[in-house]
Amino acid sequence: MTRLIKYAGTLITFCLMLTLVFAQGKKDMISANNALGDGDYSKAMELIDRAFEDPEMETNPRAHMYRGKIYTSMLIDTADMEKPSNAVEIAKTSLMKAIDTDVKGKYDKAIAEQFKKLAIYSYNDGVNSVRAEDIARAYTSFGNTVEINDILFQRGEALQDTNAMYWEGVTAYYVGKKEEGIDRLNEVLDMGYDLPFVYQKAIEIAKVEES
């Protein structure tokens, strides 16, 4: 009997601990969004990341949307803050998970808004990386822009960004992904994007191939 009581007590304690963890996840999610509103990006990221220690958050579209929003806002609004190297990937995948879990479409508008901001940030980062001659980073950034824009296009939220597609093709070529680059340039040609400009780049690439 004593052992049974002891087992029941342990089970109750365990259940209470699980309840507290689950409650903490939702609390951290809300607190993270509040911290973002206060402009405390470090605290917002810490809290939203901790919120996902609660397994229930994985099926919560608002939690994923908040995480995407927090990381996107941090990327755009902080010039001097040291940013996590995977911040764009976290923002992008969080917003994608928000779409996947938002079966009722409750957060469609908010998700699209953050995706558009992230696409602009990624494109500008690609341009700045080209200027800095960091072509590998530029390729990644333009690729992110194209991927995000494709998501928005499929949802009727944006037109296809042929400019980003063009630059993804060019940078792909110069980082050694020649076939991918040429395929992308052919794709934008077929879409009628600034034909003389694309032909000029194709000629430059052909000269590189010949040399």
Side-chain angles (χ1 to χ4, degrees):
M1 184 69 174
T2 302
R3 290 177 61 187
L4 184 60
I5 293 172
K6 184 177 180 180
Y7 174 77
T10 301
L11 184 60
I12 291 171
T13 300
F14 178 71
C15 290
L16 286 172
M17 288 175 64
L18 283 179
T19 301
L20 288 173
V21 169
F22 294 156
Q24 188 65 40
K26 187 174 182 179
K27 181 181 177 181
D28 284 340
M29 175 188 72
I30 295 169
S31 297
N33 193 53
N34 291 338
L36 176 63
D38 293 337
D40 192 341
Y41 299 95
S42 294
K43 184 177 181 181
M45 288 189 294
E46 178 185 351
L47 287 169
I48 197 63
D49 289 345
R50 192 173 73 185
F52 279 89
E53 293 176 9
D54 173 357
E56 288 193 354
M57 292 297 101
E58 286 296 335
T59 57
N60 187 322
R62 182 162 64 136
H64 289 296
M65 188 271 289
Y66 278 172
R67 196 178 198 190
K69 176 183 176 182
I70 287 167
Y71 274 85
T72 298
S73 298
M74 179 275 299
L75 286 163
I76 294 171
D77 297 338
T78 59
D80 300 325
M81 178 178 172
E82 185 176 349
K83 299 171 175 61
S85 60
N86 61 340
V88 173
E89 188 65 24
I90 291 174
K92 182 178 67 175
T93 55
S94 295
L95 293 171
M96 291 170 68
K97 288 179 180 178
I99 291 174
D100 291 341
T101 54
D102 186 22
V103 293
K104 295 182 179 179
K106 183 177 180 180
Y107 300 102
D108 277 356
K109 186 176 180 180
I111 294 167
E113 180 184 355
Q114 296 308 314
F115 259 141
K116 289 174 183 177
K117 290 179 179 180
L118 187 60
I120 293 170
Y121 170 84
S122 296
Y123 181 83
N124 289 337
D125 187 70
V127 171
N128 292 331
S129 297
V130 169
R131 289 172 179 164
E133 299 184 358
D134 187 347
I135 305 304
R137 175 166 178 160
Y139 165 68
T140 299
S141 294
F142 288 128
N144 282 329
T145 307
V146 171
E147 183 180 5
I148 293 166
N149 190 260
D150 281 347
I151 293 169
L152 291 169
F153 177 74
Q154 294 298 326
R155 294 167 64 82
E157 297 283 352
L159 298 174
Q160 287 184 301
D161 191 342
T162 47
N163 195 38
M165 293 168 69
Y166 165 78
W167 281 109
E168 183 192 22
V170 172
T171 53
Y173 182 87
Y174 285 113
V175 296
K177 299 177 183 289
K178 295 182 179 181
E179 290 187 8
E180 178 185 327
I182 291 170
D183 286 346
R184 184 62 91 184
L185 290 177
N186 284 331
E187 185 178 356
V188 294
L189 275 173
D190 290 342
M191 295 169 70
Y193 168 73
D194 203 348
L195 297 180
F197 191 53
V198 180
Y199 280 128
Q200 180 183 354
K201 181 56 66 175
I203 291 169
E204 289 176 13
I205 287 175
K207 289 181 178 178
V208 172
E209 288 285 276
E210 291 173 1
S211 61

